Each structure stands twice: as structure tokens, then as C-alpha cells.
Amino acid sequence: MMHDFAVYAVTPENSRGRRVQEDPPAGRSEFQRDRDRIIHSTAFRRLEYKTQVFVNHEGDLFRTRLTHSLEVAQIGRSVARNLHLNEDLVEAIALAHDLGHTPFGHAGQDALNECMKDHGGFEHNLQSLRVVDVLEERYGLFNGLNLCFETREGILKHCSMKNAKRLGDVGERFIANQRPSLEAQLANLADEIAYNNHDVDDGLRSGLIDQEQLEGVGIFSRHLSMVRKRYPDIAGRRLVHETVRRMINTLVADLTQQSMDSISDARLDSLNGVRSSPALIGFSETIRQEQQELKKFLREHLYRHYQVSRMSNKARHTVEMLFNAFSSDTRLLPPADQSRFQKEGHQAIADYIAGMTDRYAIREYRRLFAIEES
Ligand code: MG
């Protein structure tokens, strides 16, 4: 196998390994094996039917958590290749980063967190780790996917101090105030590039925001005028795509260059140097500010659009009703989850609800509350 890793990259050789020791894989690296396990997991297939911003049944062309995760992986891999980081690790983190998301996107997560407030709360990041560490049941030797430390650390983007203390190895860096690998830092920013851009695209497609509004946003208008100059007659979806692809390109190029400069200024000679340095993967100041402006626009005009809010309200209601029903009478849970409730308490209910796809949650709601359903 050909490797061209930088000295500060995570490699199969400097990895802290798996929790349960296994024979080394043949014909693929440890991190390729992690990626493959994630793709074959049940939680990964569920991403297809989980909301990113638009609920799954609202339209066939909007991003779902699955296509979002694929875009994050694509962007992350491009940058990783240019920085000589571990592309397989970035890909594995990107594909797994949203596995713990509830149905109905952030509205679902907020509702479940509120329901769980007397039982330790609910946090999708931590839940993604729980999926790969505990909840997947596929292997004879262990629960979860038994992923490498660096993949698990990348999935746990942030967590509370209380949880950090409880988590062991992957919690240590929060206590010691250290940074994760550059691959983990990169997957995080690839996530940001992906959602800012696809939310512009999906927002325009849905008609909830329009092009004139976006022309007041620096990064959009700058790229839009480049496209108009190059193709004076272009319009409609093609104009949007030409603009968005240029925005992604600008962000990827800026992230690559800025990170390369920060890495070289830090004079890293090993992976350990990464952990004690400040975050080294990042945008230039100008681009960072432009991204803030775009995020603010999306928050005000898309995520808080009244049509999105009405859907979020239904989502919240659905999650709350399910949670309340299960916690007031655990016999309403499927038998396997009832026995898990005996051991794990309300966490078992949170696991069951978080694992639901949008449409499963809607169906379960009907089965529990619509008198004519069974
Ligand atoms: Mg994401």
C-alpha cells in the first residue's frame, strides 16, 4: 500500500488502537476497516430517512442526513489529500458524525434533550459515539463496532465535563484541554462547509429563501457575480449550482491554504504536537467572517422560517408524546427495549427514539395515539 502521510497525521502505526484487540485486517488499513464497518451498520442506513433541515417527506431532492454525510466525506477527503492527512480516517469520521441524530433534525434533538433533562440529558454527538461503541449489535466479540480510538475521538466533537469524566479515553482531551487529531478538526470544518452550502441550495429549491435575499450576503453575491460575468445568459437552477460550486471551491481552497500555513508555523514534528497546539485546521479570518454572515442569514431566514418552525413544532410534539408514553408505561416499548429499560432506565427510551427515522417516528406516533391504528 502506498502511503504519503505527513509526520503529524494519524497512521495505523501511531494509532491508539481498538478497545477490543483484533487481528489486523488484510488488504485494507485499520481506518479503511473502520469506514467499512460504519457503512455496513444499521444506523448508517437509517440516515437516509432522517431530516437534515427538510423533513424526509417534504421532497425527494433535499439533503438527508445520508447525503449530507457523503458530502462531508467528499469535502473532508479532498482537503485531507492536499494536507497529507489520513484520508481514510477523515472519511470514517465524516460518515459516522451524524449517526446519533434523532429523527426531525435539531427540533427532535432539542425535544429529546428536554425530555431527558432529569436523566442526564441527550446530546447527538455523544449519541453518535454510543451508536458505534454500544448500540450496534453485529459482532460476536463485542458490542458496537469496536472502532479505533482516533475515529471515536473524532466522532465526539464536544461533550460536557461531567460526561468527559465518565467516558474514559475519548473524554481525556476535554479534561486536559487538548485538541483532537487534525483529521478530526478537518471533519468538523468539512461538516460546516457542506451544510452552509447545501442549505443555500435546498433553501432556494424549497422557495423558502430567494436569490435576491441572498444577494445581500457577501460570499454568495461575490460568487454570483463571477458566474454572471462568465455566463451572462445563465439563470435558474444552473445559476445557483454554478454559484454554490464556486463557494465550495473557495472554502476548500481557503481551508487548505490557511491550515497548511498554521501547520507550518506550528513546526509540528509529531502527532503529539497536534494535541497540545491550538486548533490548526481553520479558515482565514476573512472567510471565517463571511461564513458567520452566511450562517446568520440561514438562521434568520431559513432555520427560523415560519414553515420550518411549524414543522419543527410538530417534530417536537411527536418526540415528546412518544417519550411521555414510553416513560409512563414501559410496556408500550418493544420487548427488547423493555429489558434494556430494566438495566439502563430512561436512556433506553432515548436510544429507542433517537434510533427512529422520521417516518418510523410518525408511524409509531400513529400506532400509539390513533385509535383506528393497531
Ligand atoms: Mg453534520
Side-chain angles (χ1 to χ4, degrees), residues 124-361:
H124 68 85
N125 249 298
L126 199 59
Q127 190 69 11
S128 297
L129 185 67
R130 193 168 158 76
V131 167
V132 301
D133 277 358
V134 182
L135 296 178
E136 282 286 323
E137 295 175 325
R138 314 183 67 77
Y139 300 92
L141 202 54
F142 43 77
N143 281 334
L145 306 178
N146 196 34
L147 302 179
C148 294
F149 169 82
E150 293 77 10
T151 310
R152 299 172 53 238
E153 145 188 92
I155 292 171
L156 191 67
K157 222 161 33 182
H158 36 71
C159 79
S160 66
M161 213 35 99
K162 191 170 126 241
N163 285 325
K165 285 180 187 143
R166 184 172 67 72
L167 284 169
D169 56 1
V170 282
E172 283 163 17
R173 75 176 172 91
F174 297 97
I175 299 162
N177 188 25
Q178 289 195 322
R179 253 48 58 199
S181 70
L182 295 178
E183 286 82 356
Q185 296 179 31
L186 171 54
N188 191 15
L189 285 165
D191 187 22
E192 191 177 317
I193 296 178
Y195 67 68
N196 281 332
N197 286 284
H198 66 48
D199 289 351
V200 166
D201 185 40
D202 282 353
L204 288 168
R205 178 180 287 107
S206 68
L208 299 188
I209 53 175
D210 62 40
Q211 203 177 292
E212 279 88 82
Q213 284 175 303
L214 267 165
E215 284 175 34
V217 179
I219 194 163
F220 187 87
S221 64
R222 191 151 65 81
H223 292 90
L224 182 73
S225 39
M226 282 182 213
V227 177
R228 283 193 166 136
K229 210 162 158 195
R230 172 96 162 73
Y231 305 105
D233 299 326
I234 205 172
R237 293 303 305 162
R238 211 186 281 260
L239 175 61
V240 174
H241 285 144
E242 280 286 355
T243 306
V244 171
R245 83 178 180 99
R246 279 173 172 73
M247 282 164 50
I248 296 175
N249 210 36
T250 296
L251 294 167
V252 165
D254 182 83
L255 183 65
T256 307
Q257 190 54 53
Q258 184 63 39
S259 304
M260 225 180 245
D261 295 349
S262 308
I263 291 168
S264 96
D265 289 349
R267 299 176 197 284
L268 296 178
D269 56 7
S270 71
L271 177 58
N272 282 334
V274 170
R275 301 187 175 283
S276 44
S277 299
L280 294 171
I281 304 292
F283 298 110
S284 65
E285 189 48 31
T286 322
I287 291 288
R288 203 188 59 77
Q289 281 175 16
E290 278 190 340
Q291 287 276 85
Q292 288 306 329
E293 186 197 7
L294 175 60
K295 275 190 193 182
K296 185 162 173 276
F297 173 88
L298 289 170
R299 208 166 38 238
E300 283 167 11
H301 299 276
L302 182 60
Y303 309 144
R304 291 185 192 154
H305 189 283
Y306 95 101
Q307 258 170 272
V308 175
S309 303
R310 289 165 73 120
M311 190 49 89
S312 301
N313 183 55
K314 281 193 231 183
R316 207 160 28 235
H317 173 75
T318 306
V319 168
E320 278 167 14
M321 292 289 279
L322 290 175
F323 187 91
N324 292 340
F326 295 135
S327 58
S328 58
D329 186 355
T330 55
R331 285 170 308 175
L332 298 175
L333 286 165
D337 297 278
Q338 287 184 33
S339 7
R340 293 200 45 242
F341 185 87
Q342 306 297 326
K343 280 179 258 149
E344 312 221 28
H346 286 79
Q347 182 62 48
I349 300 176
D351 290 340
Y352 181 47
I353 294 176
M356 294 178 184
T357 61
D358 294 356
R359 55 186 193 168
Y360 186 94

